[in-house]
Amino acid sequence: MTMQNRTLIAFLAFMVIAIVAPFFLYPVYLMKILCFALFACAFNLLLGYGGLLSFGHAMFFGGASYFTGHIAKVWGWSPELAILAGTACAAVLGLVAGFIAIRRVGIYFAMVTLALAQMFFFFSLQAPFTGGEDGIQGIPRGHLFGIINMRNDMALYFFVLAIFTFGFLFIYRVIHSPFGQVLKAIRENEPRAISLGYKTDNYKLITFVISATFAGLAGATKAIVFQIASLTDVMWQMSGEVVLMTLVGGMGTIFGPIVGSVVIVTMQNYLAGFGEWVLIIQGVVFVIVVLAFRKGIVGELIAWYDRRERRKQAGEEVEIVHAPATAKAEHL
Amino acid sequence: MFELIGIPPQAFYAQLTLGLVNGAFYAVLSLGLAVIFGLLNVINFTHGAQYMMGAFAGYILLTLFGVPYWGALILAPIIVGAIGIVIERTMLRHLYHLDHLYGLLLTFGLVLVIEGLFRQQYGVSGRPYPNPLPGGQNLGFMFLPNYRLWVIVASVVVCFATWYLIEQTRLGSYLRAAVERPDLVQAFGINVPVMVTLTYGFGVALAGFAGVLAAPIQVVSPMMGMNIIIVVFAVVVIGGMGSILGAIITGYFLGLVEGLTRVFYPEASSTVIFVIMAIVLLIRPQGLFGKAK
């Protein structure tokens, strides 16, 4: 089975599950998973394929969440336009932050993005339109295209699923485009990519902006689903959460971020009543994954599958090698 | 002059010393980060949590065991440093052969665990720590609280001692050699892994020391670590981690700038260091004291 086929089958399986799931599970829980999965997919594009670890993605997620909330509530725009506008704001924010952050790489890049996000956190705390400690509450879900009532959880779920699918396929396309190939080359060996004539800074900046835009799309959608935008969304813990989801699922894999967000969101739901233990257990998971489990769930599955394929192939080769030997034996 | 810009001189000098006090913490913390980064190539995200642990160690020593401030000032860094050594031996050690980012991720995970445990135990509200040096000096133009003076003096002494240890002693020369070529230093018969462990322990102990120093000024709370470490990261980016002296100077300087901002434009005081970081990145990406690659 080629890689392409494997991905296609996995994608179709995911779509079937995603379409059937809301008839069995609580739609709001599933929408939360979808929002975080899109957030993690956007983050994974930057870390898994660009090799850039951002510790400030909450800035785009929470920023878009605030903008969308304000636009939907105060300006009264319909949800799809509010989400679009919020996402556009995140893209602009990504352009500014990316322009500053890509001047450094590696550990410094992580520290710079963290600091920029903290700056945005203080902005959100002080700016009048964000509502400070209270956040923006009671954001109207409104009517999609002015017709479909988004108060219906089912209708909203399929709207969110459509947004997620669009984002997922867009990011997939970016990864598998010539652009994505150059990106991987930069990740592996930036000086070589530069010597081949690629303007690596441009590639990194564009990737950063795409990543920020889809993180924003996820945050904007989340604001409509939960009808709230708050400081939680722009805090450093949120940036850490998306790193954790991507790591647990498997960074640099197509489906890893989805699996990771399912695991982490589910864990949070079950542990919600245990106070600070959510934080502690997330930290423990973080430590275990980094020490012993760096490929993540999907990464380990792929590695296991590849090993099996190789063994199978090796087994066939052994038979071929053995065949003449037995023939010779027969001769004797 | 002060009447012209409408700021009472008392407030001006008070904010200036407060800035210098904050700068003292930035300097000690970024110094510890730089020492650890130099040898381990790990950005110690846990540094803030270890600073918080230092403050709590002082608080626990006082309330549970009756150990006074001056005892805690010695004991707490040893305790926090020892915990750091355990972390290095059992976890960090296994990541040196990988991308540096894994060290960052591991220590971030540890932050969540440590902060979570303290929040579980002590809640999110702060705990007061009695001031061991009440009163102050009247300098004529301003009133200087004794404890602030002590913080500035203590941090300068510690920073200078660390600089002397690393730049001027034989032990420091081993350390600097191991930063350049650990394999060669090992070949000369120096136990580099032990040196790495002790360096981490020392850097962490510095954070613990800063924590005890901070306890009487700032409320002792589980969140105090993360709030300061993000600023310290920005300080480190501005200074560049190339030199010990650079880290110290940048720390005090940015504390002063923050204090001045609080006088002239209070709304920006929490973000001014980040703004400076952005500007420095645009003009001199390697940092003020960093070496260009």
Side-chain angles (χ1 to χ4, degrees), chain A residues 100 103-104 107-108 110-112 114-115 118-119 126 236 240 243 251 276-277 280 283-284 286 290-291 294, chain B residues 43 45 91 95 98 100 102 104-105 108-109 113 116 119-120 226 230 233 241 267 274 281-282 285-286:
Chain A
I100 296 167
R103 287 168 182 268
R104 300 302 299 261
I107 296 172
Y108 282 98
M111 290 195 286
V112 170
L114 179 67
Q118 187 74 354
M119 190 161 112
Q126 292 171 348
W236 58 268
V243 180
M251 67 171 170
E276 305 299 341
W277 286 103
I280 299 170
V284 171
F286 228 116
V290 171
L291 282 179
R294 282 181 288 271
Chain B
I43 274 292
F45 224 125
M91 294 181 243
L95 299 174
L98 297 165
H100 304 334
Y102 284 106
L104 184 76
L105 292 171
F108 179 75
V113 176
R119 276 161 74 149
Q120 180 70 22
M226 203 58 194
I230 300 179
F233 277 174
M241 276 187 291
E267 291 82 2
F274 302 123
L281 280 170
L282 293 176
Q286 70 272 33

Side-chain angles (χ1 to χ4, degrees), chain A residues 262-302:
Chain A
V262 171
V263 171
I264 300 298
V265 170
T266 308
M267 198 181 83
Q268 285 171 345
N269 266 22
Y270 278 104
L271 294 175
F274 293 94
E276 305 299 341
W277 286 103
V278 183
L279 204 65
I280 299 170
I281 291 174
Q282 276 188 7
V284 171
V285 172
F286 228 116
V287 170
I288 292 172
V289 168
V290 171
L291 282 179
F293 198 53
R294 282 181 288 271
K295 289 196 188 94
I297 295 171
V298 173
E300 293 289 350
L301 276 177
I302 292 175

